[in-house]
Amino acid sequence: MLFFVADNISGDPTMYEVYWKQMGDKTTLVLSGWQSISYFSDTKNHCWFLEPGFANAVTRLHNLVGNAQTRNYHIVVGTGSTQLFQAALYALSPSNAPEPMSIVSAAPFYSSYPLIVDCLKSGLYKWRGDASKFNKDDPYIELVTSPNNPDGSIRQAIVNGSGGILVHDLAYYWPQYTPISFQADNDIMLFTVSKCTGHAGIRIGWALVKDKEVAKKMTKFIEISSIGVSKDSQLRAAKILDVIADTYEHTEKFDKSTLFFHYVYNEMAKRWRQLRSAVSKGQTFSLPDFPVEKCNFSGQRFGTQPAFAWLKCEKSIDDCEKFLKKHKIFTRSGTHFGSSENYVRISLISHKEEYDEFIRRLYLLSSMDNP
Amino acid sequence: MLFFVADNISGDPTMYEVYWKQMGDKTTLVLSGWQSISYFSDTKNHCWFLEPGFANAVTRLHNLVGNAQTRNYHIVVGTGSTQLFQAALYALSPSNAPEPMSIVSAAPFYSSYPLIVDCLKSGLYKWRGDASKFNKDDPYIELVTSPNNPDGSIRQAIVNGSGGILVHDLAYYWPQYTPISFQADNDIMLFTVSKCTGHAGIRIGWALVKDKEVAKKMTKFIEISSIGVSKDSQLRAAKILDVIADTYEHTEKFDKSTLFFHYVYNEMAKRWRQLRSAVSKGQTFSLPDFPVEKCNFSGQRFGTQPAFAWLKCEKSIDDCEKFLKKHKIFTRSGTHFGSSENYVRISLISHKEEYDEFIRRLYLLSSMDNP
């Protein structure tokens, strides 16, 4: 299993539950028994399974936040951004090439990338690992995750090959995690409801795609692999994204404390303060530093406060995951992310109770002279 | 696009809308804003993204209808049976074989099988076409679709190889389409909400799997390819399946005309009568005949009345699809199903208005001396 429960290994965004409970029935959705009968959502759209209300909500939210261009982009909906990632690989890899397309990403990279890419031993594409070690002249696809999972860094493409195509995974490019300092306008940008609103169980992601033919091929992949995407979840996602926009655009109807991104930003800031405070108690651990920038959305200046901490064990601790596990702190070793066992990834978006308990244990451990 | 609108090419089950509208608010589902936050549905189940309520509803419905064993089976949920089909191929194909596993199915076969199997040019498995022409001694997976899409035939495995594994696609093994004459107990059985209740846009299917390790590997595939399955849609499907069972098990609360399978059986029977009547007007077309059997669920004796008609153009008409298209009847050529152009597949589960118009046109054409 990629994910584990009641710990900080998985990226299960249960932190968000409090906010949505607080919003009461504002995001309640009523679905009638005769809804979702047809396969089709919009026969005029090349992405025929895209619910128009969801497409509108996506465009509206990007326009509000300013994190990505939507004008002249095609929206493709997927069963999470995971399916869209595969759709992009399918769309971008030629079907008749002598060798599979090389897929690379700079280490540390999202641990699921190699698993997804090599899962079916595809003849279309193949995982080639760390982009910084890739120097082939052949065509390649570079995955650029920014802010990066697991280490939170803001990234650009790093391979300088002639035949490169970029896929930008912008799951975490939202103002609770990082300053929105520019409006992204890459060729293919992937987003997911999970990391934006916290609704991971909805399994809805979307891609903003510049080239119409690429969008069509991505749609084809989703048609073949799952004959479209849950309408129910698209309708729920539309409602949720619209309520987020409403908290900003219809301020007469909402209390100021319900401004979604502000609320979650504050929670993330608090969690990072707690984490940095625990780590600074001793010399056992260290964390990456992030440059402070101005967020064009909130007007505030701050450094990235990622959904994951990329913790390093210092001193003579080699296997950080093992060391922490001995002290009942459950994390994910850097080795899964193409990095060393000196690092672990820790989720910061779990339930408050779990997070507080994690901080308590880390604080104790960090304070010891010889842990 | 695999599907087209306002015609009888796709299998869009819009026929079902009337029934569910008639049921009013009995299948209405209310979803709160804080639902579907976590990735997890049931951490005690190896299929950790399976909603317990959906699993219960599936078991309850099979027990009511008697079409499949559920005792000692593991349930895996998928984004339609399409995703489960891929999960089964992944689970059953060895990861280190020198050659890809051969995937076969007797022609005429479901036109999406070859597209799905060969989509990513997998090194794990490969489409080898018509099972009746397969005589290799190597391992293979035979897909047994019963009742069959496109021709409605009741099927058994036909390859007699030593290294064979069977996957049974039982999407249409429900009493509105065919007599339930036995309780299926195959190793892997695939079902989908789309063809059972008509909710195609929900994108929910399920597999009944005998072997725990196979179920675990199928779960793994769905974890890698989409990190689980929409919770919202599982909850909706659970509600819908439960209401169907309620119409039979809580008859004090429901009018007799609302018995789901009886209602849809009658509609299918009427449509088949109309179709056979139109075809029998002349010698231009013919349809397969189906043996009459007793249905253990309804107690009635009838012949299969499939969701699709497998129509043959007789006389000197070679390209049946082209011929019908000239007369504004839109169908899908037999060539897509590994068969000849003398045949076409026609959906019988479209909206009443569409279906009536199709019958009207077919009747006219069939009545002509020299169409």
Side-chain angles (χ1 to χ4, degrees), chain A residues 24-37:
Chain A
D25 60 6
K26 290 203 174 58
T27 39
T28 297
L29 185 69
V30 179
L31 289 161
S32 298
W34 59 87
Q35 285 187 259
S36 314
I37 295 272

Side-chain angles (χ1 to χ4, degrees), chain B residues 329-362:
Chain B
I329 297 175
F330 301 97
T331 63
R332 192 137 224 263
S333 172
T335 55
H336 295 283
F337 305 91
S339 182
S340 92
E341 59 181 13
N342 297 139
Y343 291 88
V344 293
R345 191 191 77 166
I346 303 169
S347 169
L348 269 81
I349 52 177
S350 54
H351 274 300
K352 187 180 181 304
E353 296 70 27
E354 285 172 79
Y355 190 70
D356 287 348
E357 180 57 28
F358 152 67
I359 288 292
R360 200 187 60 81
R361 291 182 194 174
L362 191 73

Side-chain angles (χ1 to χ4, degrees), chain B residues 40 87 96 130 165 178-179 200 205 219 231 256 263-264 266 275 283 306-307 341:
Chain B
F40 300 95
N96 51 4
D130 189 355
I165 311 176
T178 195
T219 298
K231 283 189 183 186
K256 219 186 151 186
Y263 180 98
V264 190
N266 286 332
L275 180 63
Q283 264 84 51
E341 59 181 13

Side-chain angles (χ1 to χ4, degrees), chain B residues 250-296:
Chain B
H250 295 286
T251 46
E252 76 285 0
K253 287 190 205 156
F254 293 91
D255 188 87
K256 219 186 151 186
S257 68
T258 62
L259 290 172
F260 175 77
F261 292 113
H262 286 69
Y263 180 98
V264 190
Y265 166 87
N266 286 332
E267 182 63 28
M268 290 305 301
K270 192 176 85 187
R271 291 185 178 209
W272 270 95
R273 275 195 306 275
Q274 291 175 311
L275 180 63
R276 291 205 186 269
S277 160
V279 164
S280 68
K281 273 289 136 189
Q283 264 84 51
T284 312
F285 307 110
S286 69
L287 285 167
D289 282 316
F290 301 105
V292 169
E293 286 208 67
K294 192 190 162 193
C295 177
N296 298 329

